[in-house]
Amino acid sequence: MYQQLHQSIAQFLQPSQKEKALLEEAFVFRQVPKKFKLVEEGQVATEIYFINQGLIRLYYTKDVEEITGYIFRENLFSSSYDSFLTGTPSQQTLECLEDCELLVISNNDLDELYKKMPSMHIFTRKMAEQRFINAQRILSSFILDSPEERYQKFERHNRDLLQRVPQHYIASFLGITPVSLSRIRKRLMEKK
Amino acid sequence: MYQQLHQSIAQFLQPSQKEKALLEEAFVFRQVPKKFKLVEEGQVATEIYFINQGLIRLYYTKDVEEITGYIFRENLFSSSYDSFLTGTPSQQTLECLEDCELLVISNNDLDELYKKMPSMHIFTRKMAEQRFINAQRILSSFILDSPEERYQKFERHNRDLLQRVPQHYIASFLGITPVSLSRIRKRLMEKK
DNA sequence: AGGGTTCATTAACAAAAGATAATAAGTGCT
DNA sequence: AGCACTTATTATCTTTTGTTAATGAACCCT
């Protein structure tokens, strides 16, 4: 159950047996069904979710429209990280796109863990750095690439998600309407 | 000379006198002229720059075009952070928009500092978190807002930069052409 | 002071995306 | 199985932005 988590942590730390036990104590297993909302807009996020199995969609709500900000997959830490870090109400909703198997750590348990296991500071630093790098990559794609190029990159790096996720979620993640994505796909089909 | 740096650090840590001395040892004062390039595209970034005075522009190069990714101001840590963290060549250039007074820390000196002052892990974690939150804000503005709204938000939060920075740098930061920004400004003028 | 560069605005046209609506296929639920 | 809902595509029209070019103002440099 904790194998994937330990593997993820091993990228940055070599925890002792005792520390591994502390980690397993802090991260609690939780199963949630498709469409379950882990964080709702307006709430303060108090948990971080490591995904053993499933997909989680982060989205913003603008008027009545849902706009996908990210799709988290297996072996990633998912959260409304902004809200979690600042303790302010989340502008984002976190919703399961599939039945999910998660390992959950709360705010409080993470603070406990910092005390018992100081190297956790290093891990969460690495985690923050990774999330920065990721956000930066997506941002630079918005700055540098056309919607068509963004779709092609997405296709290259996340081919499986095209099968697992409704297309209009991907459209809004790419910053365009479903109609526009459909046109882009048609254009690309005709080129080949 | 180190007052602003200490103030920035004091947001997250309460370093001892000895630790303050270590910090002053690690951060080296450097003056550089307007247009000086601190990091060039293709190089690996090995330094982080705390800005005592001046402005630094981060930009991408697409074909022959320079596209501004961010403008760093006084009391911020500026870097090609992605490259600094991963040790891979930077896709970004860091250029001074004004004569700058900087406090510079190198990769190696930061590693030294981690050893001598473990709480530095906490500080850099906070720094990474801040940069994530910042990237996230900008990204969500690209996702949620029209160019017109982005400009209005920029105007609200960075009025002074409109005076200090050529408008076409701001245009590319907002993801539009200078021509389009000029049109938007005209539209907004007429509304009021 | 003068000459070259950079910069912001404006105009005209082209290209792309948004909005709306209709259709058809697919999915889920009881 | 059947009905409602979701989803993807396509068409039409509108709006916005990009592209290119021209103009005049501001700035820099020696």
Side-chain angles (χ1 to χ4, degrees):
Chain A
M1 180 174 294
Y2 287 96
Q3 187 214 338
Q4 290 160 273
L5 177 66
H6 286 309
Q7 248 171 20
S8 282
I9 291 175
Q11 293 179 269
F12 304 119
L13 298 182
Q14 293 76 44
S16 64
Q17 282 307 319
K18 193 182 151 198
E19 288 175 328
K20 283 189 184 179
L22 286 170
L23 285 164
E24 297 191 7
E25 199 183 314
F27 281 89
V28 178
F29 183 74
R30 186 185 302 167
Q31 269 182 307
V32 289
K34 184 171 175 172
K35 296 201 176 172
F36 186 85
K37 290 190 172 67
L38 294 159
V39 177
E40 299 211 37
E41 195 191 343
Q43 295 176 341
V44 174
T46 59
E47 299 176 322
I48 290 179
Y49 311 94
F50 179 81
I51 306 178
N52 264 348
Q53 174 59 42
L55 290 178
I56 297 175
R57 179 170 75 108
L58 176 156
Y59 66 86
Y60 299 84
T61 308
K62 175 153 197 174
D63 302 324
V64 291
E65 209 184 351
E66 295 177 359
I67 302 175
T68 300
Y70 199 69
I71 294 166
F72 298 92
R73 57 165 69 248
E74 284 84 2
N75 299 313
L76 289 179
F77 290 92
S78 168
S79 57
S80 179
Y81 201 35
D82 196 317
S83 168
F84 181 88
L85 292 174
T86 61
T88 56
S90 175
Q91 295 181 266
Q92 310 158 339
T93 303
L94 237 53
E95 184 188 72
C96 298
L97 290 181
E98 302 175 348
D99 295 341
C100 283
E101 295 172 16
L102 308 170
L103 295 172
V104 185
I105 188 167
S106 71
N107 225 332
N108 294 338
D109 288 350
L110 180 58
D111 285 340
E112 279 303 303
L113 203 52
Y114 281 139
K115 289 178 200 155
K116 294 179 192 160
M117 180 179 164
S119 66
M120 200 61 192
H121 280 299
I122 298 177
F123 179 73
T124 50
R125 166 163 73 83
K126 295 286 186 180
M127 198 167 90
E129 290 173 357
Q130 288 301 314
R131 295 220 37 180
F132 168 77
I133 290 170
N134 196 248
Q136 185 74 21
R137 293 247 161 91
I138 297 173
L139 184 54
S140 71
S141 184
F142 267 90
I143 293 172
L144 295 171
D145 303 333
S146 67
E148 188 166 319
E149 289 170 311
R150 281 206 295 287
Y151 173 71
Q152 287 178 297
K153 283 189 182 175
F154 185 89
E155 198 182 22
R156 234 173 291 138
H157 299 300
N158 303 85
R159 188 169 297 277
D160 60 318
L161 289 190
L162 291 178
Q163 311 305 323
R164 290 170 77 181
V165 175
Q167 193 168 296
H168 64 283
Y169 291 165
I170 292 166
S172 70
F173 174 65
L174 297 173
I176 53 179
T177 59
V179 177
S180 189
L181 177 55
S182 186
R183 279 192 293 233
I184 286 171
R185 281 163 56 88
K186 191 180 178 187
R187 276 209 299 273
L188 293 175
M189 289 288 281
E190 283 166 0
K191 279 186 188 168
K192 287 172 195 170
Chain B
M1 179 173 298
Y2 287 97
Q3 186 213 337
Q4 289 160 271
L5 177 66
H6 285 309
Q7 248 170 19
S8 282
I9 291 175
Q11 293 178 270
F12 304 119
L13 298 181
Q14 293 78 42
S16 64
Q17 283 306 320
K18 194 184 151 197
E19 287 175 329
K20 283 189 183 178
L22 285 170
L23 284 164
E24 296 192 7
E25 199 182 312
F27 281 89
V28 178
F29 183 75
R30 187 185 301 168
Q31 268 181 307
V32 289
K34 184 171 174 171
K35 296 200 176 174
F36 186 85
K37 289 190 173 67
L38 294 159
V39 177
E40 299 212 36
E41 195 191 342
Q43 294 177 340
V44 174
T46 60
E47 298 176 324
I48 291 179
Y49 311 94
F50 179 80
I51 306 178
N52 263 349
Q53 173 59 41
L55 289 178
I56 297 175
R57 178 170 75 107
L58 176 156
Y59 66 86
Y60 299 84
T61 309
K62 175 152 194 174
D63 305 323
V64 292
E65 209 183 350
E66 295 176 0
I67 301 175
T68 301
Y70 200 70
I71 294 166
F72 298 93
R73 57 163 71 250
E74 284 84 2
N75 300 312
L76 289 179
F77 290 91
S78 169
S79 58
S80 180
Y81 201 35
D82 195 317
S83 168
F84 181 88
L85 292 174
T86 61
T88 56
S90 175
Q91 293 181 267
Q92 310 158 338
T93 302
L94 239 53
E95 185 188 72
C96 299
L97 289 181
E98 303 174 348
D99 296 342
C100 283
E101 295 172 17
L102 308 171
L103 295 172
V104 186
I105 187 167
S106 72
N107 224 334
N108 294 339
D109 288 349
L110 180 58
D111 285 340
E112 279 303 305
L113 203 52
Y114 281 140
K115 289 177 201 158
K116 294 180 193 159
M117 180 178 165
S119 66
M120 200 60 193
H121 280 298
I122 298 177
F123 180 72
T124 50
R125 167 163 71 83
K126 294 287 185 182
M127 197 167 91
E129 289 173 358
Q130 288 301 315
R131 294 215 43 176
F132 167 77
I133 289 170
N134 197 248
Q136 185 75 19
R137 294 243 162 92
I138 296 172
L139 183 54
S140 72
S141 184
F142 267 90
I143 295 173
L144 295 171
D145 303 333
S146 68
E148 189 167 319
E149 289 169 312
R150 281 206 294 286
Y151 174 71
Q152 287 178 295
K153 282 189 183 176
F154 185 89
E155 199 182 21
R156 234 173 291 138
H157 298 300
N158 303 86
R159 187 171 299 278
D160 60 319
L161 289 189
L162 290 178
Q163 311 306 324
R164 289 170 78 181
V165 175
Q167 192 168 298
H168 65 283
Y169 290 166
I170 291 166
S172 70
F173 174 65
L174 297 174
I176 54 178
T177 59
V179 177
S180 189
L181 177 54
S182 187
R183 280 191 292 231
I184 286 171
R185 282 164 56 88
K186 192 182 179 187
R187 275 209 302 270
L188 292 176
M189 289 289 281
E190 283 165 2
K191 278 185 191 170
K192 287 172 196 171

